[in-house]
Amino acid sequence: VQPSIDHEVYRPKAKPPTSALQVVAMIRPKTPRRGADRTMRLFRRLHEQLGADVRFHLFGCAADDAGFEALERQFDFEHHGVLTREQVADLLARCDVFVDLSDYQAFGRTALEAMACGCAAVVPQEGGAHEYAVHGHNACVLDSTDEEACYQAMLKLMSQPDEVRALARQGLA
């Protein structure tokens, strides 16, 4: 079975005008390898450094999920809950950067879907993202287990909107 994307669902759409960079992540604390705790800590640090220049969006679990409630949440974010695939596509198309800090991803389909929606993807180096992600060309590939390196790389990326747009264009291609 070949991996594929439904381009009728996952496609670029006009992004609403905003001065803030829109960053999105799937947060599923019940799956430890997905790095929900690491992602939330990173987003808090980025929020502290960048403030209103970045807006964070989360999806993948209910707001009252005990695992979610136990995570770092001392920063501003919009929680979208559990979404249908059409809702995921709409959210990805509205955002600028999709972040996956899983320990590994067998393939990383959501990152590929984000790329199909015109959203730059940050993916873990471990796993199957190497099938489609080339660091600095069409994605940002990180050692997701090194929190400090992830923070520094994300801070650098988020301070370069032209680089975010270039990654998104190449990812879409």
Side-chain angles (χ1 to χ4, degrees):
V1 175
Q2 293 292 320
S4 63
I5 297 292
D6 183 347
H7 289 283
E8 293 298 314
V9 175
Y10 298 98
R11 59 188 172 81
K13 297 175 184 160
K15 294 187 188 302
T18 177
S19 60
L21 193 66
Q22 306 295 312
V23 179
V24 61
M26 181 190 307
I27 300 295
R28 287 196 180 149
K30 290 182 181 177
T31 310
R33 73 171 171 80
R34 288 209 180 261
D37 53 344
R38 181 172 42 241
T39 303
M40 296 296 279
R41 285 191 303 270
L42 175 70
F43 282 7
R44 179 194 47 81
R45 288 182 71 190
L46 291 168
H47 173 74
E48 288 173 354
Q49 183 68 33
L50 300 170
D53 291 339
V54 179
R55 297 266 335 261
F56 295 97
H57 300 267
L58 311 174
F59 72 97
C61 68
D64 63 353
D65 178 284
F68 180 69
E69 290 178 339
L71 296 173
E72 171 65 60
R73 299 186 318 156
Q74 300 303 312
F75 64 96
D76 294 334
F77 60 87
E78 186 172 345
H79 188 266
H80 299 271
V82 178
L83 303 177
T84 66
R85 67 189 209 122
E86 290 80 6
Q87 291 170 321
V88 169
D90 286 341
L91 179 58
L92 292 172
R94 287 194 325 260
C95 289
D96 301 299
V97 180
F98 170 75
V99 178
D100 182 345
L101 293 181
S102 299
D103 295 345
Y104 71 93
Q105 279 288 3
F107 182 68
R109 183 182 185 105
T110 308
L112 191 60
E113 292 166 345
M115 293 166 81
C117 290
C119 186
V122 175
V123 299
Q125 71 182 12
E126 295 300 321
H130 68 274
E131 294 288 331
Y132 57 86
V134 178
H135 181 69
H137 175 67
N138 66 357
C140 182
V141 181
L142 301 177
D143 175 357
S144 57
T145 63
D146 184 341
E147 269 187 64
E148 186 58 28
C150 288
Y151 171 72
Q152 294 299 328
M154 292 293 301
L155 188 60
K156 181 179 177 185
L157 178 65
M158 290 181 183
S159 65
Q160 300 175 1
D162 289 341
E163 178 67 15
V164 170
R165 286 189 290 275
L167 288 176
R169 277 193 307 276
Q170 285 301 117
L172 189 55

